[in-house]
Amino acid sequence: MQGTGPELVEREPALATLRDLLGSLSRRRGQAVLVTGPAASGRSALLRAFAEEAAATGASVLTSAGSPAESRLPFELVHQLLPGLRLGDGALEHAPSARPAGASGADAARAVHRTVARLARTAPVVLVVDDVHHSDRESLDCLLYAVRRLERAPVMIVVSEPEQPVPGVPSVSSALLPHRSCTRLRIGPLSVDGIRTLAAHRVGAVRARRLAPRLKLLTGGNPLLVHALLDDSGGDDGCGCGEADGAGAGGGHGDGDGDDAAGGTGSGEAGAGTRFHDAVLTCLDRCGPGAADVARALALIGTPATAQLIGEVTRMTTESVGQAVTALSTSGVIENFRFRHPGARSAVLASVPYERHRALRLRVAELLHRRGARPAEVARHLLRCGEVGAPWACQVLESAAEAAMADDDIDHAVNCLRHAHLSAVDTVRRTTSRIKMVQAEWCRDPELSQRHLKDLIGQVRQGGVAEEALTPLVKQAVWHGAPGIAEELLDRLRLGTGAVCPSEAAERQVTHLWAASVYPSLLRTVPQTPVGRRRDSGPLLGRMDRPLRAAGALLDVLKPGGHDAAVADADQLLETVYPAGREREVFRVAVLALETLLYAGRAERAARWSERLLESSGDSQGRTWLALLSWTAAEAALRQGDLPAAAERAREALKLIPQASWGVAVGLPLSCLVAAQTGMGDFPAAAEQLAQPVPDAMFRSRYGLHYLYARGGHALATGRPDAALTDFQFCGDLMCEWGIDSPGLFPWRLGAARAWHDKGRTERARRLVNDQMTRLGTDGSRTRGAALRLLAAASPVRQRRTMLQESAEILQACGDRLEAAYTLADLSRVESELREHRRAWVLARKALQLARACGAGPLAESLLPGARPKDAVPMAVPPDAAALTPGERRVASLAADGYTNREIAQRLYITGSTVEQHLTKVYRKLSIRRRDELPTDL
């Protein structure tokens, strides 16, 4: 008996049955065998192997194979079975397709029967017909005629056909099976064990054991597909099995649109190359004429697909669709209306010509739209159709874009709106879609949206823009430095005559309030009591109530006066948006509320909320919003005196979107970075940032105040009081002109006072500080502390002590560590002048610790022993330290550096009791009582 190869794995029982039936021919008993099974299940390989074995036994083996291309040629199969046969009686001359007129099929059938019977007199005859369902009608009649008359002749007829009936093709099984000599053999898909045995010939037993379950899942056990995956992978462990990402049946990979390109090798398709794609198309051909159309429709629809929907797309009957789906399922290509392997879907889609593909896509989209499918599902198909030119398509794409924005899928939203713009049928609708696309692009990179602004404003003036689309344009004009255009658009909205729904009316109010907060010159156009800016403690109501209240709170905090209500609103709003999601509305409310807290002097709260929101939104596609959140975190750190953190967050904000994308808001991260670098003593780096070009319109916005104040501080630190005075005065003039002279925003008078002080004009400086003090409200604690420090500099020494002590208490309470460090340094100098050296030393030590914690290099250096910069406080060793012995000094020095008694004993090779004795003596000699009062420089 001949051995079997990998192509006959799990086919040995069927082959053994055929051998047994062949043996029975010696007893003059004819046999008919019908071999069935799914498409590409190995029927042909089985028949070839049996034919070879039968020929080896001396039997006369006649083979043929049906083909769809030859199924219309009369007697073509008979010609294959009996090639070049010459019979004396000439009976077969009736068989050729060009037979003489009057020759009948019955005559040909009798001739075939007589010929086969004559061959059987000398040796058993085996007729093997593969894919008999594709045979021509005439040849099939001849075979059936022979089967009925050769039951007692040594003739064996073996035919194969699919397990599922092929639509429009008569089944042979109905004619063969009633005969008692007919045997049916079913060839099923490979089991996991069978696949493991097959794969072991290619990749070895160890890898085969690991791959077999996955190959079964991806191919359903179809030998052709298994062989193809192994061929494409070259024996690699992946084998196109998607082991790394879970591709396969039920995995969802085959339902997206990322693998539409021919030969795609996307995620989950590694190893599924040309051979696998060809194998899939072969399976479609063998599943019947309607299978390819059904597979294409299924590939286009994705999930959820139904037989009814596929029938509408392909214009096939539900019964025909069901038969094709069954054939595709049993062949291992699909399972539960889903492709088992994503590469199978790619192969099907790649086989469709572009125009046909587009027409099918559009038909699928229309059908889904009529059925009320979600816009996102319909848009998935419209995006593949290019320009559609249908009003319904434009509306669907815009709705899908809104849903994508809510899901933080900005890239998809922009794509939908771009296609909506192409699909619009009139100018107004096309422009509206374009404006929405610009709004979405702003979220990921505002520079992309800027290129559309000039053209869109021109269309507005020509009357080609719907009133509902003006609000997004106001936002773009504000961001990109066009306050005049923003005011023009706001006037158009205010004078508009069209009906406005409540949500659109609220959105217009929010936009107006925000525009006025950026360009305070627009405050005069804001209604006195906008809807939604309630000051009760009731719950937040509708969707638009939160942004309305947030914008109103920010506007209130910019104006002088009590800000308790605005702070309460900001706190409540932040509670509602965390962790509500990452949609655009959440970011907008969060940024407005955080700005409110910052300007109200609640830097600690702003820092905490900024970090929490950044942590929960770190992978958002809305890079512009993330950049703004990074700035709020930077500004909060700066106002708390954490200079390194402020610089880091400011750089992060500038990396998230390019500097050119910031528009007039570039003043926010730049000013924060400059102020942090100045405080850390990195003056060249700060100067480099200040050399960057900024929009002129920035100086007409609130963001310009940030920039002017930071630039003035840098000028002071680098010894240029005149330049500093110019910036601080310009900042103050703008704030006074706009009516937002709030100390929580920028205490410009204190900056100007420092400049006058450096110029030697102490009295002028005092007047500015006193003026600032009289304007402080309940929210000016941080500014009050800084003002007291400056006022002390121009006061007698004993008054200075009281002022600086109060300043230190205020600044430490409000969390501004850097300003507190400067105050403690000044207070240390006052104590030194009053000959309170020990007190001076303790204060200088605290100031040094704070300066180091804040990253304030220049201040820290000025507090070190021996440093004598201008206005510096020397960090001197306490006078009693000279009385310490060398051993006591070593122990005290290590204790001051934070070492424990045990660690000191180990380092100095002394006992723990000796360390305690030394420290006791040190405390007595230095007149201190606690470890944290030890000097750091002994």
Side-chain angles (χ1 to χ4, degrees):
M1 182 176 63
Q2 190 175 351
T4 58
E7 61 277 350
L8 292 178
V9 170
E10 293 189 335
R11 305 298 180 248
E12 294 89 346
L15 187 58
T17 299
L18 290 173
R19 291 193 196 106
D20 293 340
L21 293 174
L22 178 62
S24 69
L25 294 181
S26 62
R27 296 188 293 273
R28 310 291 295 177
R29 181 183 177 187
Q31 296 290 338
V33 181
L34 176 64
V35 180
T36 65
S41 60
R43 300 190 311 268
S44 298
L46 175 64
L47 265 59
R48 283 196 302 270
F50 173 66
E52 292 175 3
E53 290 196 14
T57 65
S60 296
V61 179
L62 306 176
T63 63
S64 64
S67 170
E70 299 172 352
S71 60
R72 295 181 180 273
L73 299 177
F75 299 105
E76 178 61 29
L77 208 66
V78 170
H79 281 303
Q80 292 183 35
L81 282 171
L82 305 169
L85 188 63
R86 297 291 182 264
L87 297 177
D89 58 8
L92 277 183
E93 291 178 1
H94 295 285
S97 57
R99 65 183 184 275
S104 67
D107 294 337
R110 295 187 191 101
V112 170
H113 170 251
R114 287 195 299 269
T115 303
V116 174
R118 183 176 301 169
L119 290 174
R121 293 172 190 168
T122 57
V125 177
V126 177
L127 301 178
V128 179
V129 183
D130 194 12
D131 290 335
V132 70
H133 57 292
H134 288 315
S135 65
D136 58 278
R137 182 72 248 184
E138 292 80 358
S139 295
L140 185 59
D141 289 340
C142 291
L143 287 176
L144 296 176
Y145 183 90
V147 168
R148 291 191 292 269
R149 288 162 177 79
L150 294 172
E151 290 188 2
R152 295 195 177 277
V155 178
M156 182 175 182
I157 301 177
V158 183
V159 299
S160 74
E161 73 172 1
E163 187 173 29
Q164 298 298 324
V166 178
V169 178
S171 173
V172 180
S173 59
S174 59
L176 286 180
L177 291 178
H179 296 280
R180 62 182 182 177
S181 61
C182 184
T183 301
R184 180 170 187 167
L185 295 177
R186 182 184 184 277
I187 306 300
L190 296 175
S191 65
V192 174
D193 289 338
I195 294 175
R196 181 167 60 247
T197 302
L198 185 153
H201 290 272
R202 308 288 298 278
V203 298
V206 176
R207 291 182 180 178
R209 187 178 302 111
R210 181 169 61 253
L211 295 176
R214 201 68 184 150
L215 285 168
K216 174 68 174 179
L217 184 65
L218 293 173
T219 66
N222 183 311
L224 180 64
L225 298 180
V226 172
H227 276 292
L229 283 179
L230 292 171
D231 287 342
D232 284 336
S233 68
D236 292 339
D237 280 359
C239 289
C241 300
E243 291 179 326
D245 46 36
H253 251 303
D255 300 328
D257 279 334
D259 54 352
D260 281 11
T265 55
S267 177
E269 271 193 72
T274 304
R275 290 184 180 273
F276 182 75
H277 286 196
D278 292 343
V280 170
L281 298 182
T282 299
C283 288
L284 300 190
D285 290 338
R286 296 183 182 180
C287 285
D293 291 335
V294 169
R296 290 167 183 169
L298 183 59
L300 290 169
I301 296 171
T303 49
T306 62
Q308 183 180 0
L309 180 58
I310 293 174
E312 292 182 31
V313 173
T314 60
R315 295 182 170 86
M316 294 170 58
T317 65
T318 303
E319 181 182 2
S320 297
V321 171
Q323 291 175 346
V325 168
T326 301
L328 291 168
S329 299
T330 57
S331 70
V333 176
I334 67 172
E335 182 183 38
N336 296 328
F337 287 92
R338 303 177 72 173
F339 286 90
R340 286 180 173 270
H341 194 294
R345 181 172 183 269
S346 294
V348 172
L349 290 174
S351 68
V352 186
Y354 173 75
E355 290 300 328
R356 175 63 174 161
H357 186 143
R358 184 179 182 278
L360 285 173
R361 281 280 188 191
L362 186 55
R363 180 162 176 77
V364 170
E366 288 177 325
L367 289 171
L368 290 175
H369 178 60
R370 291 175 191 170
R371 286 166 168 256
R374 293 181 301 109
E377 187 179 343
V378 181
R380 180 166 62 87
H381 301 285
L382 290 174
L383 292 176
R384 299 286 176 178
C385 296
E387 184 176 347
V388 175
W392 69 268
C394 182
Q395 296 170 1
V396 166
L397 288 166
E398 288 185 0
S399 298
E402 289 183 15
M405 290 295 291
D407 291 337
D408 192 47
D409 193 352
I410 297 173
D411 293 341
H412 182 58
V414 171
N415 196 21
C416 287
L417 291 168
R418 184 179 294 113
H419 282 77
H421 173 67
L422 294 174
S423 300
V425 294
D426 60 76
T427 303
V428 174
R429 187 74 256 171
R430 189 177 299 112
T431 305
T432 300
S433 298
R434 185 181 177 188
I435 291 174
K436 291 182 177 181
M437 180 182 69
V438 168
Q439 190 177 14
E441 284 183 332
W442 179 90
C443 293
R444 63 179 183 180
D445 188 352
E447 189 177 14
L448 298 176
S449 65
Q450 185 178 11
R451 62 190 178 188
H452 301 277
L453 186 59
K454 183 177 179 180
D455 186 34
L456 289 172
I457 295 302
Q459 293 187 37
V460 169
R461 291 168 177 164
Q462 294 173 11
V465 178
E467 188 175 304
E468 65 184 36
L470 294 181
T471 304
L473 275 184
V474 174
K475 301 173 186 177
Q476 297 301 316
V478 168
W479 183 269
H480 292 298
I485 292 176
E487 185 172 4
E488 175 188 343
L489 295 174
L490 287 171
D491 288 341
R492 285 177 178 267
L493 287 171
R494 188 168 57 253
L495 300 174
T497 57
V500 182
C501 66
S503 62
E504 173 60 22
E507 180 62 33
R508 292 182 182 184
Q509 284 186 319
V510 173
T511 303
H512 201 157
L513 293 174
W514 173 71
S517 74
V518 176
Y519 295 104
S521 60
L522 297 177
L523 281 170
R524 57 183 173 77
T525 66
V526 176
Q528 290 299 315
T529 311
V531 176
R533 291 172 60 194
R534 304 188 313 277
R535 286 294 171 254
D536 56 33
S537 57
L540 297 170
L541 301 178
R543 171 179 170 271
M544 292 305 301
D545 185 68
R546 291 190 302 182
L548 265 176
R549 187 179 291 190
L554 175 59
L555 209 58
D556 282 353
V557 84
L558 292 177
K559 301 174 182 178
H563 300 146
D564 290 344
V567 170
D569 271 357
D571 280 333
Q572 187 180 20
L573 287 164
L574 289 168
E575 291 285 353
T576 64
V577 299
Y578 178 85
R582 295 176 300 176
E583 60 269 18
R584 177 180 47 186
E585 208 59 66
V586 167
F587 282 124
R588 177 166 66 162
V589 170
V591 170
L592 291 172
L594 288 168
E595 287 181 304
T596 300
L597 292 180
L598 287 170
Y599 295 146
R602 307 311 198 267
E604 185 178 358
R605 293 190 209 175
R608 183 173 64 253
W609 278 113
S610 296
E611 295 298 337
R612 291 178 68 185
L613 289 166
L614 279 170
E615 183 179 355
S616 65
S617 310
D619 58 345
S620 170
Q621 289 187 15
R623 293 191 296 273
T624 302
W625 292 116
L626 291 180
L628 287 169
L629 284 177
S630 294
W631 165 72
T632 61
E635 186 71 19
L638 181 67
R639 292 180 180 236
Q640 289 180 292
D642 191 346
L643 301 179
E648 180 183 357
R649 282 301 192 186
R651 290 191 193 95
E652 181 180 307
L654 289 167
K655 286 180 181 177
L656 280 166
I657 57 175
Q659 186 167 322
S661 297
W662 278 88
V664 295
V666 72
L668 298 177
L670 270 185
S671 62
C672 195
L673 183 56
V674 167
Q677 290 172 333
T678 300
M680 292 188 293
D682 195 354
F683 303 131
E688 184 179 347
Q689 297 299 329
L690 290 170
Q692 300 291 325
V694 293
D696 292 338
M698 183 189 73
F699 295 102
R700 289 182 282 166
S701 72
R702 164 170 53 95
Y703 308 138
L705 302 178
H706 286 259
Y707 188 86
L708 289 169
Y709 198 81
R711 191 170 69 180
H714 180 264
L716 272 180
T718 53
R720 296 178 293 120
D722 289 327
L725 188 60
T726 299
D727 281 337
F728 288 132
Q729 191 62 57
F730 186 21
C731 182
D733 291 344
L734 291 174
M735 293 173 68
C736 293
E737 177 187 345
W738 295 336
I740 59 170
D741 189 10
S742 171
L745 190 54
F746 295 106
W748 64 271
R749 291 177 180 82
L750 300 186
R754 289 170 56 198
W756 283 116
H757 183 272
D758 287 356
K759 287 168 61 69
R761 304 287 295 276
T762 306
E763 188 57 35
R764 187 74 176 267
R766 181 196 293 273
R767 286 202 299 271
L768 280 171
V769 174
N770 284 330
D771 187 13
Q772 184 69 83
M773 293 283 285
T774 59
R775 296 172 183 270
L776 293 177
T778 58
D779 299 318
S781 58
R782 178 172 175 264
T783 304
R784 183 183 298 278
L788 285 170
R789 175 182 164 238
L790 289 176
L791 194 61
S795 303
V797 64
R798 293 197 177 277
Q799 293 180 10
R800 266 187 276 164
R801 172 192 274 174
T802 303
M803 292 180 182
L804 289 172
Q805 287 174 340
E806 182 182 357
S807 172
E809 291 176 1
I810 292 174
L811 293 170
Q812 288 174 330
C814 69
D816 190 339
R817 297 180 298 168
L818 181 59
E819 198 64 41
Y822 277 106
T823 298
L824 290 175
D826 287 352
L827 185 56
S828 174
R829 183 171 55 194
V830 169
E831 296 292 352
S832 182
E833 291 179 12
L834 294 174
R835 307 190 67 78
E836 293 288 342
H837 298 296
R838 179 161 304 285
R839 178 64 178 163
W841 170 79
V842 172
L843 290 170
R845 183 173 183 273
K846 290 182 179 179
L848 177 62
Q849 292 173 339
L850 281 176
R852 285 174 171 169
C854 293
L859 177 59
E861 291 177 6
S862 71
L863 291 168
L864 293 174
R868 291 292 184 272
K870 180 181 179 182
D871 294 336
V873 179
M875 178 61 182
V877 176
D880 294 337
L884 299 178
T885 66
E888 292 169 348
R889 187 184 294 272
R890 286 193 295 270
V891 170
S893 178
L894 290 173
D897 288 340
Y899 289 95
T900 65
N901 287 4
R902 177 180 297 179
E903 291 170 337
I904 294 171
Q906 291 174 348
R907 290 176 68 88
L908 298 181
Y909 301 101
I910 58 178
T911 64
S913 61
T914 302
V915 173
E916 293 177 1
Q917 293 172 12
H918 280 331
L919 286 177
T920 300
K921 294 176 181 178
V922 168
Y923 292 164
R924 185 176 65 252
K925 290 180 180 180
L926 297 182
S927 301
I928 60 177
R929 289 179 289 181
R930 297 191 307 275
R931 198 184 193 95
D932 59 0
E933 295 179 3
L934 285 168
T936 57
D937 297 272
L938 292 171

